Amino acid sequence: MTEKSHDPNQMTGAAMIVRALIDHGVTDIFGYPGGAVLPIYDEIFQQSDVQHILVRHEQGAGHAAEGYARSTGKPGVVLVTSGPGATNMVTPLTDALMDSIPLVCITGQVPTHLIGNDAFQECDTVGITRPCTKHNWLVRDVNDLAKVLHEAFYVATSGRPGPVLVDVPKDVQFATGTYHPPRKSDVHISYSPRVKGDAAQIRKAVALLANAKRPVIYSGGGVINSGPEASKLLRELVEVTGFPITSTLMGLGAYPASGKNWLGMLGMHGTYEANMTMHDCDVMLCVGARFDDRITGRVDAFSPGSKKIHIDIDPSSINKNIRVDVPIIGDCGNILGDILQVFKAEARKPDIKQWWQQIAQWRARNSLFYRKNNDIILPQHAIQRLFELTRGKDTYITTEVGQHQMWAAQFFGFEEPHRWMTSGGLGTMGYGLPAAVGVQVAHPDSLVIDIAGDASVQMTIQEMSTAVQYELPIKIFILNNQYMGMVRQWQQLLHGNRLSHSYSEALPDFVKLAEAYGCVGIQALKPADLDGAIKEMIAVKRPVIFDCRVAALENCFPMIPSGKAHNEMLLPEQANDEATATAFAGGKALV
Amino acid sequence: MNQPASAYFIEERHDPNETHTLSVLVQNEPGVLARVIGLFSGRGYNIESLTVSETESQKHLSRITIVTTGTPMVIEQIKHQLDRMIPVYRVVDMTLTKRSIERELAMVKVRGQGEHRVEALRLADAFRARVIDATTESFVFEITGNTDKINQFIDLMRPIGLVEVSRTGVAAIGRGPEGM
Ligand SMILES: Cc1ncc(C[n+]2csc(CCOP(=O)(O)OP(=O)(O)O)c2C)c(N)n1
Ligand SMILES: [Mg+2]
């Protein structure tokens, strides 16, 4: 007995949790206390290796951890209590699952003998979160805890990354058991994600690329998730082949926006040149993207004449929406490296001068055109100014969801991966502000800006208090159009302009709100004020809420109406009433 | 292979449906069945039959046999989606191997008198069903076979006085010396 108590690996479940975090190199976690996690909070109190950031709502903890993860490539860690603490995590877990973000969420649970009794703050956490995690565990025995925690980190960060959840009943936190450091055997033998691509498939892919007349590279969030090396290799591949490249919303920054082969983002609000290039290409190389409906539009008219190569770490992404010719399963970075090697050894840069001439014609349509105004700030202009004035700075951008998000994607040029954090798959309003908190925790000296909408920002505005508490100088740049602009746009285009509940009635005074939180409030009303106000925002070393009053009824173009093909895109200068009516005819039922 | 007209119209696609039997080897741990069933309901896949039992208790392995219907593209998705679950070891499409044996067991309760009893016994004999319970006015038959055979037997029993049926669902195994 006495011998055992000297064993340094004998400890309580709560202590094991903190130990495991340290063993996995975790330095910051986001959380909110409650009855079922008090033993863990007690352990946190008695150490200083892991910093705990106290949020104001568990959803905030989840999105903050997502921002942290996306901007660092490390897993984000969340600690919340049972019942409402756990249910408040459902949105960020789902968000992380859709966007393949590694999160480890630890939840407290009522003691094992009370499970199933409808105990106070009991809920079936693993049941509720089963469909919104990559995997989850309920730990009933303290001696299983170390293994489960180590496996949780492995599952979250390997293969296609994603959120995991470990539910720990309070009696397991109190119980004493044996801890062990991470080891290989902690992982299910049934789980072994594939990293290396099949050599024969890679050869087929290179043969297609080398003989392409009208090629395009279409990259996605998988390249970012694969790590900085993958982005480097992607850039090299573009250089070596001379091919045009576009990317999904999630993939921005893998190839620099200033690069000469950059076509801009593709998809529903992508550029004309990107979508037309996709539609007319003869060889498409899809790297770490998943052909989702915002990208493909009408599936049977999606790039009808092309041979498609698809690199993805998740076999279930292959042939889900679009049949591809050469699937390659494995890690993007690894496979890009192999493709480059074979290409350099065996192929020459194909001559695609004619294709570039065609692309130049599409580019000349200037699909991101908007009419500037001297009296009213155009939202696109605001983003452009924000971009220009932060150029060369160490900047990270997060967004909420709506028109402002699309304008940010269109008009802010990303030069590096991991600089752009947005809720793509789930489209979660309220993501950006807490995500900015998480990014700033990871990068205390960088400029972190949430490009926000007046409606979205109110969903998680309480996290300003977190920013103030931890002296996180995040900038909330609200494109305030006094509408749920994206909803209003769809109502205008598809529902006879009946603006049902999309007006942001009774908006708070954002400047006063900032002051109430102890932040700095800044407002810009006129184009002439804009630059000065943005500079002021950048100069302030405290959290800022920036109320940028923009044109209320501006629409986000270009746009592929959902269910239409890439070449049926609506351009800004064509978007008169009649063209709009035809473009959207019959599309009401779509999302 | 036909593509759906749009991602939005996946429900309305007109590719012919196929029925496939999948054998899924899983780690037998709490929640594993809920995961599999949740996948089917969450993604709108069909389950025609589902059978599950631990098959190797030392290794904590269970074998789940699922009969599902869908277009070839959907069936392919189902297999990939199952395969990427953490506790799933292997997914084998028994229908594609074309070398599988499928069996189901049913217990069929029939009630009747006189001529009906004689007819029921005669049919049972023809189907190699066994009587496992009998009263003066009823029988319970046990029958094993593939799904079609059992359906046929039940249909024949209906006019005679079918009371109820309990079926195990399909179990499948490959022919030849190799395991899955
Ligand atoms: C949590 C959540 N609820 C509802 C929606 C549907 N939705 C998408 S965009 C949008 C309006 C966003 O308005 P705002 O934040 O002001 O941005 P804007 O489009 O005006 O730039 C809504 C309600 C959503 N995406 N997320
Ligand atoms: Mg708005």
Side-chain angles (χ1 to χ4, degrees):
Chain A
M1 186 64 216
T2 41
E3 219 167 74
K4 239 191 170 180
S5 62
H6 287 300
D7 179 351
N9 284 330
Q10 287 294 305
M11 61 182 87
T12 64
M16 284 186 197
I17 289 172
V18 175
R19 237 323 254 295
L21 295 181
I22 296 169
D23 282 353
H24 287 276
V26 175
T27 51
D28 307 276
I29 68 171
F30 302 88
Y32 207 90
V37 282
L38 285 180
I40 307 171
Y41 272 85
D42 203 22
E43 288 295 330
I44 288 175
F45 188 85
Q46 301 176 52
Q47 56 85 52
S48 54
D49 293 310
V50 178
Q51 184 196 198
H52 175 275
I53 306 289
L54 176 69
V55 294
R56 299 298 181 267
H57 183 298
E58 288 86 355
Q59 184 188 356
H63 294 318
E66 285 188 89
Y68 186 93
R70 256 194 248 204
S71 66
T72 58
K74 295 196 290 186
V77 181
V78 176
L79 173 61
V80 295
T81 194
S82 65
T87 55
N88 276 344
M89 271 302 293
V90 167
T91 299
L93 287 171
T94 311
D95 193 272
L97 187 70
M98 293 284 266
D99 285 345
S100 309
I101 308 302
L103 286 194
V104 176
C105 177
I106 295 162
T107 49
Q109 181 57 278
V110 301
T112 37
H113 69 273
L114 284 181
I115 290 179
N117 274 311
D118 297 321
F120 177 63
Q121 294 197 326
E122 181 190 354
C123 72
D124 177 7
T125 302
V126 285
I128 290 169
T129 61
R130 204 171 279 132
C132 58
T133 51
K134 183 170 169 186
H135 197 66
N136 62 12
W137 297 259
L138 168 64
V139 182
R140 288 171 171 274
D141 180 347
V142 68
N143 287 309
D144 293 337
L145 188 56
K147 175 177 160 41
V148 167
L149 288 167
H150 300 324
E151 184 174 24
F153 273 92
Y154 180 69
V155 170
T157 52
S158 59
R160 181 174 179 174
V164 300
L165 180 143
V166 183
D167 199 23
V168 190
K170 195 168 180 180
D171 55 326
V172 175
Q173 299 171 31
F174 275 128
T176 300
T178 312
Y179 178 82
H180 65 260
R183 58 187 185 203
K184 261 219 150 69
S185 59
D186 290 330
V187 180
H188 273 87
I189 41 173
S190 50
Y191 176 68
S192 55
R194 177 160 189 169
V195 174
K196 194 136 183 71
D198 181 81
Q201 294 292 89
I202 287 170
R203 285 188 177 277
K204 271 195 219 162
V206 171
L208 280 177
L209 296 174
N211 293 303
K213 301 269 175 304
R214 302 187 309 278
V216 67
I217 299 175
Y218 144 48
S219 78
V223 179
I224 315 264
N225 277 336
S226 174
E229 184 63 17
S231 295
K232 236 181 75 201
L233 291 165
L234 180 71
R235 291 166 187 217
E236 196 182 338
L237 185 69
V238 173
E239 190 58 41
V240 168
T241 57
F243 290 176
I245 174 165
T246 176
S247 137
T248 65
L249 182 72
M250 300 307 297
L252 296 177
Y255 183 81
S258 62
K260 66 180 189 326
N261 294 26
W262 178 238
L263 301 175
M265 180 175 77
L266 82 161
M268 183 175 270
H269 292 290
T271 65
Y272 185 66
E273 54 271 33
N275 286 327
M276 289 304 287
T277 304
M278 289 288 282
H279 188 268
D280 284 4
C281 68
D282 68 346
V283 175
M284 177 187 298
L285 173 63
C286 167
V287 199
R290 60 186 175 92
F291 296 96
D292 93 288
D293 56 75
R294 282 296 180 271
I295 294 304
T296 58
R298 202 176 137 175
V299 177
D300 61 357
F302 174 75
S303 192
S306 62
K307 290 267 185 235
K308 299 174 186 75
I309 306 162
H310 187 184
I311 303 175
D312 204 299
I313 198 153
D314 180 357
S316 77
S317 292
I318 308 282
N319 292 338
K320 181 156 73 178
N321 303 322
I322 297 289
R323 281 257 152 209
V324 298
D325 303 278
V326 185
I328 313 177
I329 293 161
D331 170 64
C332 292
N334 201 292
I335 295 170
L336 281 173
D338 287 350
I339 289 186
L340 259 168
Q341 206 182 8
V342 178
F343 192 95
K344 283 198 265 187
E346 295 174 13
R348 274 189 302 127
K349 209 177 203 165
D351 176 9
I352 55 164
K353 244 189 252 108
Q354 274 189 340
W355 182 226
W356 275 113
Q357 280 163 8
Q358 170 63 66
I359 292 170
Q361 284 176 20
W362 289 326
R363 270 189 176 148
R365 294 288 291 270
N366 191 15
S367 64
L368 296 180
F369 171 82
Y370 63 92
R371 218 172 289 283
K372 277 210 197 81
N373 188 301
N374 288 331
D375 300 321
I376 309 172
I377 302 175
L378 269 295
Q380 301 93 323
H381 177 65
I383 305 276
Q384 272 187 320
R385 292 316 302 157
L386 185 69
F387 174 51
E388 290 303 333
L389 295 169
T390 57
R391 230 184 233 270
K393 292 196 160 45
D394 175 22
T395 309
Y396 292 83
I397 299 290
T398 71
T399 76
E400 308 294 337
V401 171
Q403 292 179 318
H404 62 275
Q405 175 191 29
M406 291 300 117
W407 283 317
Q410 292 173 337
F411 291 94
F412 203 101
F414 293 93
E415 296 295 302
E416 296 295 333
H418 299 289
R419 297 282 170 162
W420 162 247
M421 270 58 53
T422 194
S423 171
L426 195 62
T428 311
M429 292 170 70
Y431 166 85
L433 196 159
V437 167
V439 175
Q440 192 84 72
V441 167
H443 309 276
D445 300 321
S446 305
L447 177 60
V448 182
I449 305 173
D450 170 27
I451 296 178
D454 46 282
S456 298
V457 76
Q458 294 188 74
M459 289 211 171
T460 48
I461 190 87
Q462 76 284 347
E463 300 307 331
M464 287 316 284
S465 178
T466 310
V468 171
Q469 178 179 346
Y470 294 95
E471 296 178 23
L472 304 167
I474 56 172
K475 318 295 184 210
I476 311 306
F477 189 78
I478 306 173
L479 290 183
N480 183 353
N481 53 11
Q482 305 188 45
Y483 276 100
M484 297 175 194
M486 193 56 99
V487 173
R488 187 202 53 70
Q489 174 167 347
W490 280 56
Q491 289 172 334
Q492 182 192 340
L493 299 175
L494 289 156
H495 294 271
N497 207 29
R498 289 179 292 280
L499 305 186
S500 182
H501 298 274
S502 54
Y503 180 63
S504 292
E505 198 88 46
L507 277 179
D509 178 331
F510 284 113
V511 172
K512 281 199 187 134
L513 189 60
E515 284 157 8
Y517 274 115
C519 322
V520 177
I522 298 177
Q523 192 176 48
L525 295 169
K526 298 263 167 254
D529 306 338
L530 191 57
D531 277 22
I534 292 176
K535 283 182 194 155
E536 186 191 342
M537 174 185 87
I538 296 170
V540 176
K541 295 295 172 239
R542 287 166 55 201
V544 174
I545 299 181
F546 189 118
D547 182 15
C548 186
R549 294 298 180 95
V550 298
L553 300 179
E554 187 67 9
N555 282 337
C556 185
F557 287 116
M559 178 171 185
I560 305 177
S562 43
K564 298 270 169 149
H566 276 176
N567 59 354
E568 298 175 282
M569 172 159 233
L570 198 62
L571 294 176
E573 76 273 19
Q574 307 168 330
N576 57 33
D577 290 352
E578 199 189 326
T580 309
T582 351
F584 287 87
K588 246 191 228 176
L590 309 177
V591 288
Chain B
M1 186 111 5
N2 287 336
Q3 296 261 337
S6 151
Y8 303 95
F9 297 137
I10 277 172
E11 242 59 75
E12 297 174 17
R13 31 188 310 154
H14 299 300
D15 292 357
N17 275 348
E18 295 177 358
T19 300
H20 284 235
T21 304
L22 309 178
S23 285
V24 187
L25 207 57
V26 301
Q27 184 76 30
N28 185 12
E29 60 185 28
V32 67
L33 190 59
R35 277 178 215 286
V36 170
I37 294 174
L39 172 75
F40 277 75
S41 62
R43 292 187 183 262
Y45 306 144
N46 297 315
I47 298 182
E48 307 264 294
S49 159
L50 181 124
T51 314
V52 55
S53 185
E54 191 167 69
T55 49
E56 287 183 61
S57 61
Q58 294 93 340
K59 291 196 206 154
H60 299 289
L61 289 184
S62 287
R63 185 160 170 146
I64 302 176
T65 310
I66 305 170
V67 180
T68 181
T69 55
T71 62
M73 217 160 150
V74 168
I75 303 264
E76 195 183 323
Q77 258 302 296
I78 292 175
K79 288 186 274 184
H80 285 314
Q81 292 290 354
L82 284 168
D83 214 7
R84 80 203 267 248
M85 296 186 143
I86 309 294
V88 169
Y89 284 88
R90 271 203 81 187
V91 180
V92 174
D93 187 333
M94 302 306 264
T95 305
L96 282 191
T97 65
K98 294 207 170 90
R99 285 174 48 79
S100 76
I101 307 165
E102 296 182 9
R103 287 291 179 273
E104 205 180 335
L105 183 145
M107 289 182 279
V108 181
K109 187 178 287 183
V110 183
R111 183 176 193 158
Q113 276 162 351
E115 258 314 294
H116 280 160
R117 280 175 77 82
V118 181
E119 178 66 2
L121 282 174
R122 208 180 52 77
L123 284 167
D125 195 41
F127 277 79
R128 291 178 211 277
R130 291 199 302 140
V131 177
I132 52 173
D133 180 69
T135 68
T136 50
E137 50 171 343
S138 71
F139 289 117
V140 176
F141 296 110
E142 174 197 311
I143 176 171
T144 329
N146 64 27
T147 303
D148 285 347
K149 173 178 161 185
I150 291 174
N151 287 345
Q152 203 186 349
F153 183 67
I154 292 168
D155 284 346
L156 288 170
M157 287 298 154
R158 212 177 299 280
I160 296 173
L162 183 72
V163 178
E164 62 177 352
V165 181
S166 176
R167 295 170 76 151
T168 58
V170 174
I173 201 160
R175 291 179 193 276
E178 308 300 334
M180 80 176 259

